[in-house]
């Protein structure tokens, strides 16, 4: 067993050690109120007066919930439901048969050829991003790291969807509406927690609904404009959405479903940017890890561009990205509901019982990980990797696992490899950074940085 405690401990609240914790009337950051017992037990009863709820950490039981019996453990009305006004009936927020049909329709999108085309889009976006970083450096500007990476990831998503570079004015509109919607939801969740109903689903205010409607309207205009100009390639996501047919009925996506999928892809880049933000933050505090990435890139690609077939050889860089996904999973908890009575391990579940699976807790569980709070990319190279991966679920798992998981790993690995090789991102307020688990996992305040060339 590895007992090295000298590894870097990235920012995270320490477990709450007094008593068993209380989720009613908490302050703004729920992560601060997670009791220590949650990080040690296989199953914990976290029921409230009006709802039976079990927190499940056991990897085998998680496999039953997500992989073996997903038709029984349907999506519950968790916080992810608050995204429905924005994402519509996308499979992320639904669990009916039509949801499964849509997943079958979009599954062919993830072909090797599509990944290769998207690889070139990512390369082009990083090239444009590098030019922007040079501008920032020449002007000696201080910038919000999250904003910097949202711009990069939004451009990647736009190129994948429409085969074109994202116009600056379109990014401003997308970013404005998406951030307005998410910030209003986050504030609503904080207020709900402070009122002593932390697990109760709040009602969205009209301001959040309006922001969602504005973004969906913008997406519909982008779809129409690109269809009219016919400038997208047959490898683009838009083209593949347009020709997709249900395996059961041969019916295409409705216009609303098309908007759901395009909006979800654009919005998912907010999560991708958040993971990269934590990655660059951690690397700024771990110069030895940064140097290992640079040495690996030089060994694999020399001073040339990285090619698609070389990505599999960037093992350390990929493991850095995996370790960031473990320490900072984009969505801190997932909820399911038992649709009928059944036995789960030693639990006798009644119909309607809620099950909570928290990637944040499972990824930092004392029984399943060595030095769980430490940044250790090399843990994935050890003999116990198969055990580790059973407790690794940053994208969910099974039937409703994020369909872009493999692409996200590819994208994150390539971005880290190229940006770390070329730039240093120096964090200026590292001592004030702390993660907050609201709807997504974000810092409690903006992370500000300077960009300098290597």
């Amino acid at each position: 067993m590895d007992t090295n405690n000298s590894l870097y401990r990235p920012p995270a609240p320490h477990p709450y050690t007094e008593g068993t914790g209380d989720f009613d009337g908490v302050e703004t950051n729920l992560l601060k109120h997670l009791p220590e017992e949650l990080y040690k037990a296989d199953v914990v009863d976290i029921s409230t007066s009006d709802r039976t709820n079990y927190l499940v950490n056991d990897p085998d039981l998680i496999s039953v919930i997500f992989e073996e019996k997903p038709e029984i453990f349907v999506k519950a009305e968790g916080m992810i439901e608050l995204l429905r006004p924005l994402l519509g009936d996308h499979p992320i927020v639904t669990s009916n048969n039509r949801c499964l049909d849509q997943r079958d329709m979009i599954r062919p999108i993830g072909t090797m050829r599509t990944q290769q085309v998207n690889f070139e889009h990512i390369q082009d976006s990083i090239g444009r991003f590098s030019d922007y970083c040079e501008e920032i450096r020449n002007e000696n500007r201080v910038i919000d790291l999250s904003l910097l990476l949202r711009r990069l990831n939004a451009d990647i998503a736009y190129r994948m969807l429409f085969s074109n570079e994202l116009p600056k004015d379109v990014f401003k509109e997308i970013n404005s509406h998406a951030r307005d919607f998410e910030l209003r939801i986050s504030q609503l969740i904080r207020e709900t927690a402070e009122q002593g109903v932390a697990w109760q689903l709040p009602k969205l205010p009209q301001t959040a609904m309006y922001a969602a409607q504005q973004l969906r309207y913008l997406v519909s205009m982008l779809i129409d404009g690109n269809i009219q100009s016919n400038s997208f390639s047959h490898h683009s996501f838009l083209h593949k959405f347009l020709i997709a047919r249900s395996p059961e009925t041969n019916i295409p996506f409705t216009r609303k479903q098309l908007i759901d999928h395009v909006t979800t892809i654009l919005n998912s880049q907010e999560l991708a940017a958040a993971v990269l933000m934590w990655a660059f933050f951690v690397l700024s505090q771990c110069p030895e890890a940064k140097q290992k990435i640079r040495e690996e890139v030089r060994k694999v690609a020399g001073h040339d561009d990285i090619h698609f077939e070389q990505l599999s050889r960037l093992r350390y860089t990929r493991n850095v990205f995996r370790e960031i996904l473990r320490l900072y999973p984009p969505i801190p908890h997932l909820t399911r509901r038992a649709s009928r009575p059944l036995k789960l391990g030693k639990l006798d579940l009644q119909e309607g019982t809620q099950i909570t699976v928290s990637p944040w807790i499972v990824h930092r569980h004392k029984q399943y990980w060595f030095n769980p709070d430490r940044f250790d990319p090399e843990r994935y190279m050890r003999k116990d990797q198969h055990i580790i991966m059973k407790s690794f679920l940053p994208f969910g798992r099974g039937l409703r696992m994020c369909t872009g998981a493999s692409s996200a790993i590819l994208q994150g690995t390539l971005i880290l490899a190229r940006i770390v090789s070329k730039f240093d991102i120096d964090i200026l307020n590292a001592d004030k950074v702390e993660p907050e688990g609201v709807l997504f996992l974000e810092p409690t305040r903006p992370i500000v940085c300077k960009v300098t060339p290597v």
Side-chain angles (χ1 to χ4, degrees):
M1 179 184 293
D2 180 12
T3 58
N4 181 10
N5 288 314
S6 65
L7 297 169
Y8 172 63
R9 184 187 189 277
H14 287 275
Y16 185 75
T17 57
E18 297 180 11
T20 58
D22 184 1
F23 299 115
D24 288 339
V26 302
E27 299 174 2
T28 58
N29 193 351
L30 183 61
L31 298 183
K32 286 185 175 181
H33 294 263
L34 296 176
E36 192 172 36
E37 67 165 297
L38 300 190
Y39 296 89
K40 297 179 179 180
D42 290 332
V43 178
V44 181
D45 187 340
I46 57 171
S47 301
T48 60
S49 58
D50 62 341
R51 174 175 295 177
T52 303
N53 191 354
Y54 292 100
L55 176 76
V56 175
N57 295 325
D58 186 308
D60 293 328
L61 297 185
I62 290 175
S63 294
V64 173
I65 295 165
F66 288 110
E67 296 174 306
E68 297 176 24
K69 299 181 179 179
E71 75 285 355
I72 297 176
F73 292 98
V74 298
K75 285 182 181 273
E77 291 187 347
M79 292 303 176
I80 198 70
E81 282 288 311
L82 296 174
L83 293 175
R84 188 178 293 279
L86 184 66
L87 307 185
D89 293 322
H90 189 275
I92 285 179
V93 292
T94 56
S95 59
N96 53 28
N97 291 336
R98 185 54 177 151
C99 149
L100 303 182
D101 194 33
Q102 287 189 62
R103 292 187 74 90
D104 289 338
M105 292 172 71
I106 63 178
R107 190 168 287 116
I109 291 176
T111 63
M112 180 61 70
R113 178 54 185 155
T114 301
Q115 286 201 2
Q116 290 174 329
V117 171
N118 287 338
F119 177 85
E120 296 305 320
H121 287 319
I122 299 169
Q123 291 278 42
D124 292 341
S125 291
I126 296 174
R128 180 68 191 92
F129 178 78
S130 296
D131 294 340
Y132 183 54
C133 286
E134 290 286 1
E135 294 175 20
I136 294 171
R137 179 255 181 182
N138 292 336
E139 297 171 5
N140 196 31
R141 287 165 53 194
V142 173
I143 191 165
D144 180 341
L145 179 58
S146 178
L147 176 63
L148 186 68
L149 294 169
R150 287 201 303 272
R151 176 172 176 156
L152 166 62
N153 284 275
D155 185 52
I156 291 172
Y158 195 88
R159 290 174 191 261
M160 290 179 178
L161 282 164
F162 305 122
S163 309
N164 295 300
E165 180 180 351
L166 173 65
K168 290 182 180 178
D169 59 331
V170 174
F171 168 70
K172 288 180 179 178
E173 275 200 81
I174 292 174
N175 186 60
S176 174
H177 296 316
R179 293 301 291 171
D180 186 25
F181 179 75
E182 290 166 15
L183 289 173
R184 291 183 185 280
I185 287 182
S186 295
Q187 182 58 33
L188 183 64
I189 294 172
R190 291 189 190 97
E191 292 171 356
T192 302
E194 290 169 358
Q195 293 167 8
V197 283
W199 300 103
Q200 183 174 311
L201 189 67
K203 184 178 180 180
L204 275 184
Q206 286 298 315
T207 49
M209 297 288 290
Y210 178 75
Q213 291 167 2
Q214 289 294 102
L215 182 53
R216 288 179 65 87
Y217 176 75
L218 174 61
V219 166
S220 70
M221 294 298 99
L222 292 174
I223 291 172
D224 290 344
N226 278 276
I227 290 176
Q228 187 173 2
S229 64
N230 196 31
S231 58
F232 54 93
S233 79
H234 64 281
H235 291 296
S236 70
F237 284 168
L238 178 59
H239 175 78
K240 292 182 181 296
F241 285 147
L242 291 172
I243 65 171
R245 296 293 184 271
S246 165
E248 297 293 329
T249 65
N250 202 38
I251 295 175
F253 283 125
T254 65
R255 176 173 175 80
K256 179 183 177 301
Q257 289 168 341
L258 183 60
I259 294 172
D260 292 346
H261 283 277
V262 174
T263 303
T264 299
I265 289 176
L266 288 173
N267 196 68
S268 68
Q269 294 305 310
E270 293 274 320
L271 300 182
V275 175
L276 284 168
M277 175 194 64
W278 290 115
F280 285 115
F281 174 88
V282 170
L283 289 172
S284 73
Q285 311 302 303
C286 297
E288 71 286 350
K290 199 160 42 177
Q291 186 58 31
K292 283 184 180 181
I293 290 177
R294 289 169 181 161
E295 290 171 358
E296 181 174 70
V297 172
R298 279 197 295 269
K299 182 179 179 180
V300 169
H303 296 287
D304 299 326
D305 288 338
I306 299 169
H307 299 295
F308 182 77
E309 59 273 14
Q310 294 174 324
L311 269 178
S312 62
R313 295 167 57 193
L314 296 174
R315 294 185 182 90
Y316 182 79
T317 308
R318 182 170 61 253
N319 287 337
V320 166
F321 191 69
R322 279 178 175 172
E323 183 70 341
I324 296 300
L325 280 167
R326 181 185 73 83
L327 289 165
Y328 298 105
I331 298 178
H333 69 268
L334 308 166
T335 54
R336 294 292 184 266
R337 176 177 54 82
S339 61
R340 65 171 176 80
L342 80 157
K343 194 173 185 63
L344 178 67
K346 296 180 180 179
L347 299 176
D348 290 312
L349 304 183
Q350 301 303 311
E351 180 180 350
T353 298
Q354 182 160 301
I355 300 294
T356 299
V357 176
S358 171
W360 171 271
I361 294 174
V362 174
H363 289 180
R364 294 171 181 268
H365 200 281
K366 309 298 182 184
Q367 292 186 37
Y368 312 142
W369 301 88
F370 300 142
N371 293 317
D373 294 310
R374 305 286 170 169
F375 173 67
D376 182 12
E378 294 181 357
R379 70 172 75 241
Y380 303 96
M381 304 296 287
R382 300 184 189 122
K383 293 180 181 179
D384 57 354
Q385 180 181 3
H386 67 287
I387 299 174
I388 284 176
M389 298 313 289
K390 285 179 65 177
S391 303
F392 184 72
L393 56 154
F395 305 106
R397 187 174 292 171
L399 188 63
R400 298 182 184 96
M401 179 177 175
C402 173
T403 53
S406 59
S407 296
I409 298 287
L410 178 153
Q411 181 174 319
T413 301
L414 180 59
I415 291 172
L416 285 184
R418 284 198 56 185
I419 300 302
V420 169
S421 297
K422 193 168 183 179
F423 296 99
D424 272 320
I425 296 179
D426 301 312
I427 308 302
L428 304 182
N429 62 339
D431 60 326
K432 296 181 175 62
V433 172
E434 183 180 53
E436 180 182 22
V438 188
L439 184 62
F440 305 131
L441 196 69
E442 295 188 302
T444 53
R445 67 184 67 203
I447 299 176
V448 293
C449 65
K450 276 192 172 183
V451 179
T452 56
V454 174

